[in-house]
Amino acid sequence: MPQKRSNPHFCTTQDLSNLIIGPSGGMYVLPHEPWNEVYPGILIGDKHTALCTHTLKDIGITHVLNAAQGNDSNYYKGFVNTNSTYYNSVGIAYKGFPAADLLSFDLSQYFAEAANFIEIALQNKGKVLVHCYQGISRSATLVIAYLMLKCGMTAQEAIKTVRSKREIIPNNSFLRQLCDLNQRLAAQRTY
C-alpha cells in the first residue's frame, strides 16, 4: 500500500524539486547574486566569494565550510582548492569536504559534521559561508541538512527556507539523501 502523501515527514525527490522550481514558475534558475544569507548567520555562496578573503571579512564571515574541497582534475571539474591555511591570515575558521556534485556521490556522510561546524559558528555569534563551486547544489544540501538536524525542520520546511532567499539546484541524488534524512529524523521523533 503506498504511503500517504499528506504526511509532512514523507517526501520524494519530486516533492522537493517542485518546492525548488515553484517560485520561478516551474523552472530551475541560477542565483542572481554570488552569495545570499539564507538563514540568520548562514550564507550560501560560490567559489569566487569563497576565494576573496577581503569580501569575506567585509561581510563578517568568521567560518567557511567548503563543500567542494579539492583540485580540479581530468576526471572532475568543480572543486575549490582552499584549506585552513588559506584563511589563517584573516582569522577565519575552516572546514572542507571533498564532495563531488555527482549522482553517485554520498553527501549524507558529511551531514552531521557540517551541521556541527555550522552550529559552533552560530553559537559563537559567528557568521558562516557555506560554499561549493556555484553555490547551488552541495552547499545548499548541507545547509538544508543543518536546518533539519539542528533546527527541527522537515526537508520541505528547510528547502522552502533556503529557496526563499537563494536559487538552488541540488542534484536528484542529494534530494533523495535529504528525503532519507527526513524519514530517519521523523522516526527518531516518534520514539
Side-chain angles (χ1 to χ4, degrees), residues 18-94:
N18 289 342
L19 292 172
I20 292 166
I21 63 175
S24 55
M27 299 182 304
Y28 289 104
V29 179
L30 291 173
H32 296 88
E33 304 293 335
W35 58 268
N36 299 94
E37 187 167 15
V38 297
Y39 194 75
I42 303 174
L43 291 76
I44 295 177
D46 63 10
K47 169 186 180 174
H48 302 291
T49 302
L51 292 174
C52 187
T53 56
H54 294 300
T55 297
L56 296 178
K57 290 310 280 182
D58 286 346
I59 60 178
I61 297 298
T62 59
H63 293 70
V64 168
L65 177 56
N66 180 352
Q69 179 179 295
N71 295 316
D72 285 343
S73 67
N74 291 335
Y75 162 70
Y76 181 76
K77 308 280 187 222
F79 288 120
V80 183
N81 188 18
T82 59
N83 54 39
S84 58
T85 304
Y86 187 85
Y87 297 102
N88 279 347
S89 65
V90 290
I92 293 175
Y94 175 85

Coordinates of all heavy atoms in Angstrom, one line a residue, residues 18-94:
N18 N 9.8 20.2 -6.8 CA 8.7 21.1 -7.0 C 8.8 22.3 -6.1 O 8.4 23.4 -6.5 CB 7.4 20.4 -6.8 CG 7.0 19.4 -7.9 OD1 7.6 19.5 -9.0 ND2 6.1 18.5 -7.6
L19 N 9.3 22.2 -4.9 CA 9.4 23.3 -4.0 C 10.5 24.2 -4.5 O 10.5 25.4 -4.2 CB 9.7 22.8 -2.6 CG 8.6 22.1 -1.8 CD1 9.1 21.5 -0.5 CD2 7.4 23.0 -1.6
I20 N 11.5 23.7 -5.1 CA 12.6 24.5 -5.6 C 12.2 25.3 -6.9 O 12.6 26.4 -7.0 CB 13.9 23.6 -5.9 CG1 14.4 23.0 -4.6 CG2 14.9 24.3 -6.7 CD1 15.4 21.9 -4.8
I21 N 11.5 24.6 -7.8 CA 11.2 25.3 -9.0 C 9.9 26.1 -9.0 O 9.6 27.0 -9.8 CB 11.1 24.3 -10.2 CG1 10.0 23.3 -10.0 CG2 12.5 23.7 -10.4 CD1 9.8 22.3 -11.2
G22 N 9.0 25.9 -8.0 CA 7.8 26.6 -7.8 C 7.9 28.1 -7.9 O 7.2 28.7 -8.6
P23 N 8.8 28.7 -7.1 CA 8.9 30.1 -7.0 C 9.3 30.8 -8.4 O 9.1 32.0 -8.6 CB 9.9 30.4 -5.9 CG 9.9 29.2 -5.1 CD 9.6 28.1 -6.0
S24 N 9.9 30.0 -9.2 CA 10.4 30.5 -10.5 C 9.5 30.0 -11.7 O 10.0 30.0 -12.8 CB 11.8 30.1 -10.8 OG 12.0 28.7 -10.7
G25 N 8.3 29.7 -11.4 CA 7.3 29.3 -12.5 C 7.6 28.0 -13.1 O 7.3 27.7 -14.3
G26 N 8.2 27.0 -12.3 CA 8.4 25.7 -12.8 C 9.7 25.5 -13.5 O 9.9 24.5 -14.2
M27 N 10.7 26.4 -13.3 CA 12.0 26.3 -14.0 C 13.1 26.3 -12.9 O 12.9 27.0 -11.9 CB 12.2 27.4 -15.0 CG 11.2 27.4 -16.1 SD 11.6 28.7 -17.3 CE 11.6 30.2 -16.3
Y28 N 14.2 25.7 -13.2 CA 15.4 25.9 -12.4 C 16.0 27.2 -12.8 O 16.2 27.5 -14.0 CB 16.4 24.7 -12.6 CG 15.9 23.4 -12.0 CD1 15.4 22.4 -12.8 CD2 16.0 23.3 -10.6 CE1 15.0 21.2 -12.2 CE2 15.5 22.1 -10.0 CZ 15.0 21.1 -10.8 OH 14.6 19.9 -10.2
V29 N 16.5 28.0 -11.8 CA 17.1 29.3 -12.1 C 18.4 29.4 -11.3 O 18.4 29.0 -10.2 CB 16.1 30.4 -11.7 CG1 16.7 31.8 -11.9 CG2 14.8 30.3 -12.4
L30 N 19.4 29.9 -12.0 CA 20.7 30.1 -11.3 C 20.6 31.4 -10.4 O 19.8 32.3 -10.7 CB 21.8 30.3 -12.3 CG 22.2 29.1 -13.1 CD1 23.2 29.4 -14.2 CD2 22.7 28.0 -12.2
P31 N 21.4 31.4 -9.3 CA 21.3 32.6 -8.4 C 21.7 33.9 -9.1 O 22.5 33.9 -10.1 CB 22.4 32.3 -7.4 CG 22.6 30.8 -7.5 CD 22.3 30.4 -8.9
H32 N 21.0 35.0 -8.7 CA 21.3 36.3 -9.2 C 22.5 36.9 -8.5 O 23.1 37.9 -9.0 CB 20.1 37.2 -9.1 CG 18.9 36.7 -9.9 ND1 18.0 35.8 -9.4 CD2 18.5 37.0 -11.1 CE1 17.1 35.6 -10.3 NE2 17.4 36.3 -11.4
E33 N 22.9 36.4 -7.3 CA 23.9 37.0 -6.5 C 25.0 36.0 -6.3 O 24.7 34.8 -6.2 CB 23.4 37.5 -5.2 CG 22.2 38.5 -5.3 CD 22.7 39.8 -5.9 OE1 23.9 40.2 -5.8 OE2 21.8 40.5 -6.5
P34 N 26.2 36.4 -6.0 CA 27.3 35.4 -5.7 C 27.1 34.7 -4.3 O 27.5 33.6 -4.1 CB 28.6 36.2 -5.8 CG 28.2 37.6 -5.6 CD 26.8 37.7 -6.1
W35 N 26.4 35.4 -3.4 CA 26.1 34.8 -2.1 C 24.8 35.4 -1.6 O 24.4 36.5 -2.0 CB 27.2 35.1 -1.1 CG 27.6 36.6 -0.9 CD1 28.5 37.3 -1.6 CD2 26.9 37.5 0.0 NE1 28.5 38.6 -1.2 CE2 27.6 38.7 -0.2 CE3 25.9 37.4 0.9 CZ2 27.2 39.9 0.5 CZ3 25.6 38.5 1.6 CH2 26.2 39.7 1.4
N36 N 24.1 34.7 -0.7 CA 22.9 35.2 -0.1 C 22.9 34.6 1.3 O 23.3 33.5 1.6 CB 21.7 34.6 -0.8 CG 21.6 35.1 -2.2 OD1 22.0 34.4 -3.1 ND2 21.0 36.3 -2.4
E37 N 22.4 35.5 2.3 CA 22.1 35.0 3.6 C 20.8 34.3 3.6 O 19.8 34.9 3.3 CB 22.1 36.1 4.6 CG 22.1 35.6 6.0 CD 22.4 36.7 7.1 OE1 22.4 37.9 6.7 OE2 22.6 36.3 8.2
V38 N 20.8 32.9 3.8 CA 19.6 32.1 3.7 C 19.0 31.8 5.0 O 17.8 31.3 5.1 CB 19.9 30.8 2.9 CG1 20.4 31.1 1.5 CG2 21.0 30.0 3.7
Y39 N 19.7 32.1 6.1 CA 19.2 31.9 7.5 C 20.1 32.7 8.3 O 21.2 33.0 8.0 CB 19.3 30.4 7.9 CG 18.6 30.0 9.1 CD1 17.2 29.8 9.1 CD2 19.3 29.8 10.3 CE1 16.5 29.4 10.2 CE2 18.6 29.4 11.4 CZ 17.2 29.2 11.4 OH 16.5 28.8 12.5
P40 N 19.6 33.3 9.4 CA 20.4 34.2 10.2 C 21.8 33.6 10.5 O 22.0 32.6 11.1 CB 19.6 34.4 11.5 CG 18.2 34.3 11.0 CD 18.3 33.1 10.0
G41 N 22.9 34.3 10.0 CA 24.2 33.9 10.2 C 24.8 32.8 9.2 O 25.9 32.5 9.3
I42 N 23.9 32.4 8.3 CA 24.4 31.3 7.3 C 24.2 31.9 5.9 O 23.1 32.3 5.5 CB 23.5 30.0 7.5 CG1 23.6 29.5 8.9 CG2 24.0 29.0 6.4 CD1 22.7 28.3 9.1
L43 N 25.3 31.9 5.2 CA 25.3 32.4 3.8 C 25.7 31.2 2.9 O 26.5 30.4 3.3 CB 26.3 33.5 3.6 CG 26.0 34.9 4.2 CD1 26.2 34.9 5.7 CD2 26.8 35.9 3.6
I44 N 25.1 31.2 1.8 CA 25.5 30.2 0.7 C 26.1 31.0 -0.4 O 25.5 32.1 -0.8 CB 24.3 29.4 0.2 CG1 23.7 28.5 1.3 CG2 24.7 28.5 -1.0 CD1 22.5 27.7 0.9
G45 N 27.2 30.6 -0.9 CA 27.9 31.3 -1.9 C 28.7 30.4 -2.9 O 28.7 29.2 -2.8
D46 N 29.3 31.1 -3.8 CA 30.0 30.4 -4.9 C 31.5 30.4 -4.6 O 32.0 31.0 -3.7 CB 29.7 31.0 -6.3 CG 30.1 32.5 -6.4 OD1 30.8 33.0 -5.6 OD2 29.7 33.1 -7.4
K47 N 32.2 29.8 -5.6 CA 33.7 29.7 -5.5 C 34.4 31.1 -5.4 O 35.3 31.3 -4.6 CB 34.2 29.0 -6.8 CG 35.7 29.1 -7.0 CD 36.0 28.4 -8.3 CE 37.5 28.5 -8.5 NZ 37.9 27.7 -9.8
H48 N 33.9 32.1 -6.2 CA 34.6 33.4 -6.2 C 34.4 34.1 -4.9 O 35.4 34.8 -4.5 CB 34.0 34.2 -7.4 CG 34.2 33.5 -8.7 ND1 35.5 33.3 -9.3 CD2 33.3 32.9 -9.6 CE1 35.4 32.6 -10.4 NE2 34.1 32.3 -10.6
T49 N 33.3 34.0 -4.3 CA 33.1 34.6 -3.0 C 34.0 34.0 -2.0 O 34.7 34.7 -1.2 CB 31.6 34.4 -2.5 OG1 30.7 35.0 -3.5 CG2 31.4 35.1 -1.2
A50 N 34.1 32.7 -2.0 CA 35.0 32.0 -1.0 C 36.5 32.3 -1.2 O 37.2 32.3 -0.2 CB 34.8 30.5 -1.2
L51 N 36.9 32.6 -2.4 CA 38.3 32.9 -2.7 C 38.7 34.3 -2.3 O 39.9 34.6 -2.2 CB 38.6 32.6 -4.1 CG 38.6 31.1 -4.5 CD1 38.8 30.9 -6.0 CD2 39.6 30.3 -3.7
C52 N 37.7 35.2 -2.2 CA 38.0 36.6 -1.9 C 37.9 36.9 -0.4 O 36.9 37.2 0.1 CB 37.1 37.5 -2.7 SG 37.5 39.3 -2.5
T53 N 39.1 36.8 0.3 CA 39.1 37.0 1.7 C 38.7 38.4 2.1 O 38.1 38.6 3.2 CB 40.4 36.6 2.3 OG1 41.5 37.4 1.7 CG2 40.7 35.1 2.1
H54 N 39.0 39.4 1.3 CA 38.5 40.7 1.6 C 37.0 40.8 1.7 O 36.5 41.5 2.6 CB 39.1 41.8 0.6 CG 40.6 41.9 0.7 ND1 41.3 42.2 1.8 CD2 41.5 41.6 -0.3 CE1 42.6 42.2 1.6 NE2 42.8 41.9 0.3
T55 N 36.4 40.2 0.7 CA 34.9 40.2 0.7 C 34.4 39.5 1.9 O 33.4 40.0 2.6 CB 34.3 39.6 -0.6 OG1 34.8 40.3 -1.7 CG2 32.8 39.5 -0.5
L56 N 35.0 38.4 2.3 CA 34.5 37.6 3.4 C 34.6 38.4 4.7 O 33.7 38.4 5.5 CB 35.3 36.3 3.5 CG 35.2 35.3 2.4 CD1 36.1 34.1 2.6 CD2 33.7 34.9 2.2
K57 N 35.7 39.1 4.9 CA 35.9 40.0 6.1 C 34.9 41.1 6.0 O 34.3 41.5 7.1 CB 37.3 40.5 6.2 CG 38.3 39.4 6.5 CD 38.0 38.6 7.7 CE 38.3 39.2 9.0 NZ 38.0 38.4 10.2
D58 N 34.6 41.7 4.8 CA 33.7 42.8 4.7 C 32.3 42.4 5.1 O 31.5 43.2 5.7 CB 33.7 43.4 3.3 CG 34.9 44.2 3.0 OD1 35.7 44.6 3.9 OD2 35.2 44.5 1.8
I59 N 31.9 41.2 4.8 CA 30.5 40.8 5.1 C 30.4 40.0 6.5 O 29.4 39.5 6.8 CB 29.9 39.9 4.0 CG1 30.7 38.7 3.7 CG2 29.7 40.8 2.7 CD1 30.1 37.8 2.6
G60 N 31.6 40.0 7.2 CA 31.6 39.5 8.6 C 31.7 38.0 8.7 O 31.3 37.4 9.8
I61 N 32.2 37.3 7.7 CA 32.4 35.9 7.8 C 33.4 35.5 8.8 O 34.5 36.0 8.7 CB 32.7 35.3 6.4 CG1 31.5 35.5 5.4 CG2 33.0 33.8 6.5 CD1 30.2 34.9 5.8
T62 N 33.1 34.6 9.7 CA 34.0 34.1 10.7 C 34.4 32.6 10.4 O 35.4 32.1 11.0 CB 33.5 34.2 12.1 OG1 32.2 33.4 12.2 CG2 33.2 35.6 12.5
H63 N 33.6 31.9 9.7 CA 33.7 30.5 9.4 C 33.4 30.2 7.9 O 32.5 30.8 7.4 CB 32.8 29.6 10.2 CG 33.1 29.7 11.7 ND1 32.9 30.8 12.5 CD2 33.6 28.7 12.5 CE1 33.2 30.5 13.7 NE2 33.7 29.3 13.8
V64 N 34.2 29.3 7.3 CA 34.0 28.9 5.9 C 33.8 27.4 5.9 O 34.7 26.7 6.4 CB 35.1 29.4 4.9 CG1 35.0 28.7 3.6 CG2 35.1 30.9 4.8
L65 N 32.8 26.9 5.3 CA 32.6 25.5 5.0 C 32.6 25.3 3.5 O 31.7 25.7 2.8 CB 31.2 25.0 5.6 CG 30.8 23.6 5.4 CD1 31.9 22.6 5.9 CD2 29.5 23.3 6.1
N66 N 33.6 24.6 3.1 CA 33.8 24.3 1.7 C 33.3 22.9 1.3 O 33.8 21.9 1.8 CB 35.3 24.4 1.3 CG 35.6 24.1 -0.2 OD1 34.8 23.7 -0.9 ND2 36.9 24.3 -0.5
A67 N 32.2 22.9 0.6 CA 31.6 21.6 0.2 C 32.1 21.1 -1.1 O 31.5 20.2 -1.7 CB 30.1 21.8 0.1
A68 N 33.3 21.6 -1.5 CA 33.9 21.2 -2.8 C 35.4 21.2 -2.7 O 36.1 21.6 -3.6 CB 33.4 22.1 -3.9
Q69 N 35.9 20.8 -1.6 CA 37.4 20.9 -1.4 C 38.1 20.0 -2.3 O 37.8 18.8 -2.3 CB 37.7 20.6 0.1 CG 39.2 20.7 0.4 CD 39.5 20.4 1.8 OE1 39.1 21.2 2.7 NE2 40.2 19.3 2.1
G70 N 39.1 20.5 -2.9 CA 40.0 19.6 -3.8 C 40.5 20.4 -5.0 O 40.2 21.6 -5.2
N71 N 41.3 19.6 -5.8 CA 41.8 20.2 -7.0 C 41.1 19.6 -8.2 O 40.7 18.5 -8.2 CB 43.3 19.7 -7.1 CG 44.2 20.3 -6.1 OD1 44.1 21.5 -5.7 ND2 45.0 19.5 -5.5
D72 N 40.8 20.5 -9.2 CA 40.2 20.0 -10.4 C 41.1 19.0 -11.1 O 42.3 19.1 -11.0 CB 39.9 21.2 -11.4 CG 38.7 22.1 -11.0 OD1 37.9 21.6 -10.1 OD2 38.6 23.2 -11.4
S73 N 40.6 18.1 -11.7 CA 41.4 17.1 -12.4 C 40.7 16.8 -13.8 O 39.7 17.3 -14.1 CB 41.4 15.8 -11.6 OG 40.1 15.2 -11.6
N74 N 41.4 15.9 -14.5 CA 40.8 15.4 -15.8 C 39.4 14.7 -15.6 O 38.6 14.8 -16.4 CB 41.7 14.5 -16.5 CG 43.0 15.3 -17.0 OD1 42.9 16.5 -17.2 ND2 44.1 14.5 -17.2
Y75 N 39.3 14.1 -14.4 CA 38.1 13.4 -14.0 C 36.9 14.3 -13.7 O 35.8 14.0 -14.1 CB 38.4 12.4 -12.9 CG 37.2 11.9 -12.1 CD1 36.4 11.0 -12.7 CD2 37.0 12.3 -10.8 CE1 35.3 10.5 -12.0 CE2 35.9 11.8 -10.1 CZ 35.0 10.9 -10.7 OH 33.9 10.5 -10.1
Y76 N 37.2 15.3 -12.9 CA 36.1 16.1 -12.4 C 36.5 17.6 -12.3 O 37.5 17.9 -11.6 CB 35.6 15.6 -11.1 CG 34.5 16.4 -10.5 CD1 33.2 16.2 -11.0 CD2 34.7 17.3 -9.5 CE1 32.1 16.9 -10.5 CE2 33.6 18.0 -9.0 CZ 32.3 17.8 -9.5 OH 31.3 18.6 -9.0
K77 N 35.8 18.5 -12.8 CA 36.0 19.9 -12.6 C 34.9 20.4 -11.7 O 33.7 20.1 -12.0 CB 35.9 20.7 -14.0 CG 36.8 20.1 -15.1 CD 38.2 20.6 -14.9 CE 39.0 20.2 -16.1 NZ 40.3 19.7 -15.8
G78 N 35.2 21.1 -10.7 CA 34.1 21.6 -9.9 C 34.5 21.6 -8.4 O 33.7 21.8 -7.5
F79 N 35.8 21.5 -8.2 CA 36.4 21.7 -6.8 C 36.9 23.1 -6.6 O 37.1 23.8 -7.6 CB 37.5 20.7 -6.6 CG 37.1 19.3 -6.5 CD1 37.5 18.3 -7.4 CD2 36.2 18.9 -5.5 CE1 37.1 17.0 -7.3 CE2 35.8 17.5 -5.4 CZ 36.3 16.6 -6.3
V80 N 37.0 23.4 -5.3 CA 37.6 24.7 -4.9 C 38.8 24.4 -4.0 O 38.6 23.9 -3.0 CB 36.5 25.6 -4.2 CG1 37.1 27.0 -3.9 CG2 35.3 25.7 -5.0
N81 N 39.9 24.8 -4.5 CA 41.2 24.4 -3.8 C 41.6 25.4 -2.7 O 42.4 26.3 -2.9 CB 42.3 24.3 -4.9 CG 43.6 23.7 -4.3 OD1 43.5 23.1 -3.3 ND2 44.7 24.0 -5.0
T82 N 40.9 25.2 -1.6 CA 41.3 26.0 -0.4 C 41.5 25.0 0.8 O 41.1 23.9 0.7 CB 40.2 27.0 0.0 OG1 38.9 26.4 0.2 CG2 40.0 28.1 -1.1
N83 N 42.0 25.5 1.8 CA 42.2 24.8 3.1 C 42.3 25.8 4.2 O 42.2 27.0 4.0 CB 43.4 23.8 3.0 CG 44.7 24.6 2.6 OD1 44.9 25.7 3.1 ND2 45.5 24.0 1.8
S84 N 42.6 25.3 5.4 CA 42.6 26.2 6.6 C 43.7 27.2 6.5 O 43.6 28.3 6.9 CB 42.8 25.4 7.9 OG 43.9 24.6 7.8
T85 N 44.8 26.8 5.8 CA 46.0 27.8 5.7 C 45.5 29.0 4.8 O 46.0 30.1 5.1 CB 47.2 27.1 5.0 OG1 47.5 25.9 5.8 CG2 48.4 28.0 4.9
Y86 N 44.7 28.7 3.9 CA 44.2 29.8 3.0 C 43.6 30.9 3.8 O 43.7 32.1 3.5 CB 43.3 29.3 2.0 CG 42.8 30.2 0.9 CD1 43.6 30.4 -0.2 CD2 41.7 31.0 1.0 CE1 43.3 31.3 -1.2 CE2 41.3 31.9 0.0 CZ 42.1 32.1 -1.1 OH 41.7 33.0 -2.1
Y87 N 42.9 30.6 4.9 CA 42.1 31.5 5.7 C 42.8 32.0 7.0 O 42.3 32.8 7.7 CB 40.7 31.0 6.0 CG 39.9 30.7 4.7 CD1 39.8 29.5 4.2 CD2 39.3 31.8 4.1 CE1 39.0 29.2 3.0 CE2 38.6 31.6 2.9 CZ 38.4 30.3 2.4 OH 37.7 30.1 1.2
N88 N 43.9 31.3 7.4 CA 44.5 31.6 8.6 C 44.9 33.1 8.8 O 44.7 33.7 9.9 CB 45.8 30.8 8.8 CG 45.5 29.4 9.3 OD1 44.4 29.1 9.7 ND2 46.5 28.5 9.2
S89 N 45.4 33.7 7.7 CA 45.9 35.1 7.9 C 44.7 36.1 8.1 O 45.0 37.2 8.6 CB 46.6 35.5 6.6 OG 45.7 35.5 5.5
V90 N 43.5 35.7 7.8 CA 42.4 36.6 8.1 C 41.5 36.1 9.2 O 40.5 36.7 9.5 CB 41.5 36.8 6.8 CG1 42.3 37.7 5.8 CG2 41.0 35.5 6.2
G91 N 42.0 35.1 9.9 CA 41.3 34.7 11.1 C 39.9 34.0 10.9 O 39.1 34.1 11.8
I92 N 39.8 33.3 9.8 CA 38.5 32.6 9.5 C 38.7 31.1 9.8 O 39.7 30.5 9.3 CB 38.1 32.9 8.1 CG1 37.7 34.4 7.9 CG2 36.9 32.0 7.7 CD1 37.4 34.8 6.5
A93 N 37.8 30.5 10.6 CA 37.9 29.1 10.8 C 37.4 28.4 9.5 O 36.5 28.9 8.8 CB 37.0 28.7 12.0
Y94 N 37.9 27.2 9.3 CA 37.7 26.5 8.0 C 37.4 25.0 8.3 O 38.0 24.4 9.1 CB 38.9 26.6 7.1 CG 38.8 25.8 5.8 CD1 38.1 26.4 4.7 CD2 39.3 24.5 5.8 CE1 38.0 25.6 3.6 CE2 39.2 23.8 4.6 CZ 38.6 24.4 3.5 OH 38.5 23.6 2.3

